[in-house]
């Protein structure tokens, strides 16, 4: 006995922690216990459900599980009921989602209580900003998993198929049921016969996993691809062209989801080019899709350089159109009124458009939040937005409720996330960026979930020692206290840390030009439109800093329902996290802490840097509990993260100090870099992507 024990012990010590590439995502735990699955039907989706149970069972060995497609009024859409004996649902997909939840509970140590779970949104969609040549706009995890350039660009290989299958499974496991396969800055090529053939291949693989395929389309496709003289949405030939194209798509791709459109935005063509409105354009496409059950997701991301406040524009342009859209059009609105900044108040369109379906668009890819270099868990940011009260139908009219159908009668409900997925072995570039993909899926399913719960689940699934492995015992000793708790704390603080070292107190869009990774509060090349420069947003001068959006300024506050409009309008009642979003204030303005605005800024920037330093320490201590590969990769990213947080602090403080002319408080670490150097180097140059 003792010999066996010591051999086992020796084995455990001698065995280096297995290397993990991260490719398995949150699906790395495989069960080995037998299970008997009794399933009432037979279909591709149900077979997947059965197989998942057989390969992942971590419950009582030899148990029987019943999967029953059986109508039940308390179950909605593809929701499910978990019972003592198995899963019940109205649809096959509901069964599959129930199975994934059952396994997740086993793997995360949650009891399998009887529950009904219904999705918050009917459509839970990833938006891929992938281009036909294989590049990914704002992608930081390698090239596209769907497209590649070159001679064989449209050949579908076994490797492609295998990857798409893994992608489908990962999405289904967290409830995502739609993918837009190409960039909103769309190439007309995507609707050509050759490209549609590839789209069909992808759609065939995604379908059994319940994932509908959508495409982004360029509004002028009838002219660019079809050779028509115009793409005017009211022109009968244009209408016919779209009808024929939609028919062609559905003949290839049954259950096709519909179109996503970026129109009259950042140079993209749109109905306004022909003197028509967004509603004219969206409705024309919606009518073509209607007979097949397709929808149009029409983006509200619009702004013009002539307007003096970018934050007001989506609302000004779309509110007059409320009620003018078909019921299969959903207006897709970014969470904030400007552009996926580290922190923005919610977009005032939420709750305000009462006669139109509105869906939130979140950005999973970290364009403005450290890309794949920095560890930033985004669930707290999304939770903050979804829980924001719009007051549009009285207190409690949160963004979540104003978009999920509980406040307004919407024919369709949806939520979108801009994907952070690429060909990198770990899919997302940074191991912790996987948590953002995961969080998007979980929140799209249940928009009331807390960030804490999501982080807890994800860490367990991603880092827990697999209890079925021989070396598990030693690895799992103290795992909760040594890894789960500190890593969770780190994740939950990481977004606030990023806000602190990048843009505290409501500052926004002071990035280096174009790539949006490092600081560039000075960014204002000659001749560029002013709303693409940083000074437009921070407005720093010798008197103070911040964008005046009060009644005396751009009056963007008026777009919010009372009591918010008045609250935001007054610096003493405006939440401090949005202070400089709404106000231009003197450097010596007294903040809530009692410090002057300048001192408070210094303090926040410094706090952000210290938080990242702490993350490094937390991570260093988890080494015994994580495989060597992932440990090392995260550790090295954190080193870079810390360095760049320091650069953010130094750049912003030294730059703004030119205006404030005030000293950095003595109890705060001095900047370690020089402003001239920081303005010369472009952080992106040393970026690995
Ligand atoms: O945030 C900006 C990005 C663009 C993007 C645009 C949009 C796809 O910098 O890269 O284009 O938003 O959302 O349309």
């Amino acid at each position: 006995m003792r010999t066996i024990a010591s051999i086992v012990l020796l084995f455990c010590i001698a065995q280096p922690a297995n290397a993990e590439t991260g490719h398995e995502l949150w699906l790395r735990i495989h069960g080995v216990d037998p299970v008997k699955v009794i399933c009432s039907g037979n279909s591709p989706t149900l077979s997947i459900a059965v197989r998942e149970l057989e390969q992942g069972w971590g419950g009582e060995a030899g148990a029987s599980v019943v999967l029953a497609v059986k109508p039940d009024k308390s179950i909605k859409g593809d929701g499910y009921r978990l019972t003592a004996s198995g899963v019940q649902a109205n649809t096959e997909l509901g069964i599959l989602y129930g199975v994934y939840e059952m396994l997740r509970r086993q793997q995360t140590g949650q009891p399998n209580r009887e529950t009904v779970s219904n999705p918050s949104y009917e459509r839970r969609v990833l938006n891929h900003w992938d281009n036909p040549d294989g590049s990914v706009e704002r992608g930081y995890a390698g090239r596209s998993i769907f497209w590649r350039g070159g001679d064989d660009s449209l050949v579908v290989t076994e490797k492609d198929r295998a990857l798409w299958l893994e992608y489908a499974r990962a999405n289904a496991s967290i409830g995502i049921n739609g993918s837009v396969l190409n960039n909103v800055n769309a190439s007309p090529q995507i609707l050509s016969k050759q490209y549609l053939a590839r789209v069909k291949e992808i759609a065939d693989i995604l379908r059994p996993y319940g994932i509908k395929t959508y495409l982004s389309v360029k509004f002028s496709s009838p002219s660019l691809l079809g050779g028509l003289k115009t793409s005017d949405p009211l022109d009968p030939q244009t209408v016919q062209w779209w009808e024929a194209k939609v028919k062609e798509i559905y003949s290839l791709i049954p259950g096709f989801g519909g179109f996503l459109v970026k129109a009259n935005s950042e140079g993209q063509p749109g109905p306004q080019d022909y003197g028509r409105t967004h509603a004219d354009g969206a409705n024309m496409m919606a009518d073509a899709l209607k007979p097949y059950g397709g929808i149009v997701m029409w983006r509200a991301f619009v702004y013009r350089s002539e307007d003096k406040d970018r934050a007001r524009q989506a609302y000004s342009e779309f509110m007059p159109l409320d009620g003018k859209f078909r019921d299969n059009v959903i207006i897709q609105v970014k969470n904030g009124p400007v552009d996926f900044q580290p922190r923005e108040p919610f977009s005032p369109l939420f709750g305000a458009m009462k006669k139109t379906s509105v869906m939130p668009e979140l950005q999973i890819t970290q364009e403005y939040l450290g890309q794949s270099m920095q560890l930033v868990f985004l669930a707290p940011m999304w939770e903050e937005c979804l829980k924001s009260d719009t007051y549009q139908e009285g207190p409690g009219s949160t963004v979540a409720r104003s978009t999920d159908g509980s406040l307004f009668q919407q024919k369709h409900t949806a939520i979108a996330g801009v994907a952070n997925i690429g060909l990198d072995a770990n899919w997302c570039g940074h191991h912790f960026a996987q948590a953002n993909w995961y969080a998007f899926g979980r929140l799209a399913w249940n928009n009331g979930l807390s960030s804490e719960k999501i982080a807890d689940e994800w860490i367990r699934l991603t880092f827990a020692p697999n209890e079925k492995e021989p070396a598990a015992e030693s690895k799992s000793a103290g795992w909760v206290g040594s890894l789960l708790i500190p890593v969770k704390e780190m994740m939950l603080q990481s977004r606030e840390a990023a806000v602190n070292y990048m843009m505290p107190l409501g500052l926004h869009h002071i990035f280096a030009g174009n790539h949006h990774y490092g600081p560039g509060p000075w960014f204002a090349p000659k001749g560029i439109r002013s709303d693409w420069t940083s000074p437009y947003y921070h407005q720093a001068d010798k008197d103070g800093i911040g964008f005046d959006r009060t009644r005396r300024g751009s009056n963007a506050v008026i777009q919010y329902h009372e009591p918010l409009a008045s609250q935001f309008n007054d610096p003493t009642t405006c939440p401090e996290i949005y202070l400089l979003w709404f106000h231009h204030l003197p450097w010596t303005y007294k903040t809530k802490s009692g410090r002057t605005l300048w001192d408070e800024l210094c303090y926040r920037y410094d706090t952000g840097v210290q938080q990242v330093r702490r993350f490094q320490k937390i991570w260093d201590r988890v080494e015994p509990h994580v495989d060597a590969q992932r440990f090392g990769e995260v550790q090295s990213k954190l080193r870079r993260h810390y360095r760049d947080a320091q650069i953010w602090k130094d750049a912003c403080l030294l730059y703004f100090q030119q205006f404030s002319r005030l000293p950095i408080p003595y109890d705060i670490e001095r900047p370690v870099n020089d402003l001239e150097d920081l303005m010369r180097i472009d952080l992106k140059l040393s970026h690995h992507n």
Side-chain angles (χ1 to χ4, degrees), residues 452-503:
E452 196 271 339
K453 156 106 171 115
I454 297 171
D456 192 276
E457 278 181 10
W458 180 80
I459 297 167
R460 287 175 190 271
L461 296 169
T462 307
F463 291 112
N466 190 342
E467 297 201 348
K468 304 284 177 334
E469 265 178 22
E473 225 33 30
S474 66
K475 274 201 257 166
S476 60
W479 184 86
V480 168
S482 311
L483 191 142
L484 179 68
I485 293 171
V487 169
K488 185 163 48 172
E489 184 201 317
M490 166 174 79
M491 286 174 74
L492 292 174
Q493 281 179 15
S494 59
R495 184 273 186 140
E496 204 59 43
V499 169
N500 283 333
Y501 62 74
M502 288 184 182
M503 286 166 233

Side-chain angles (χ1 to χ4, degrees), residues 594-663:
R595 298 187 191 98
T596 64
L597 178 56
W598 167 251
D599 284 2
E600 185 67 18
L601 268 181
C602 294
Y603 172 78
R604 300 268 175 138
Y605 273 106
D606 189 60
T607 303
V609 177
Q610 287 180 38
Q611 283 173 299
V612 182
R613 184 80 192 94
R614 232 178 81 71
F615 299 164
Q616 282 190 291
K617 291 183 181 161
I618 289 175
W619 189 253
D620 284 346
R621 282 196 290 264
V622 305
E623 185 165 11
H625 303 278
V626 182
D627 57 285
Q629 182 171 350
R630 291 187 300 169
F631 174 77
E633 287 168 359
V634 171
Q635 187 184 47
S636 107
K637 295 242 169 176
L638 277 168
R639 222 172 271 140
R640 172 77 193 266
H641 187 167
Y642 174 66
R643 199 197 81 187
D644 293 348
Q646 175 82 52
I647 285 177
W648 265 99
K649 170 191 157 189
D650 292 2
C652 293
L653 290 186
L654 292 172
Y655 172 79
F656 290 133
Q657 194 177 32
Q658 301 177 116
F659 302 98
S660 80
R661 294 161 185 273
L662 292 166

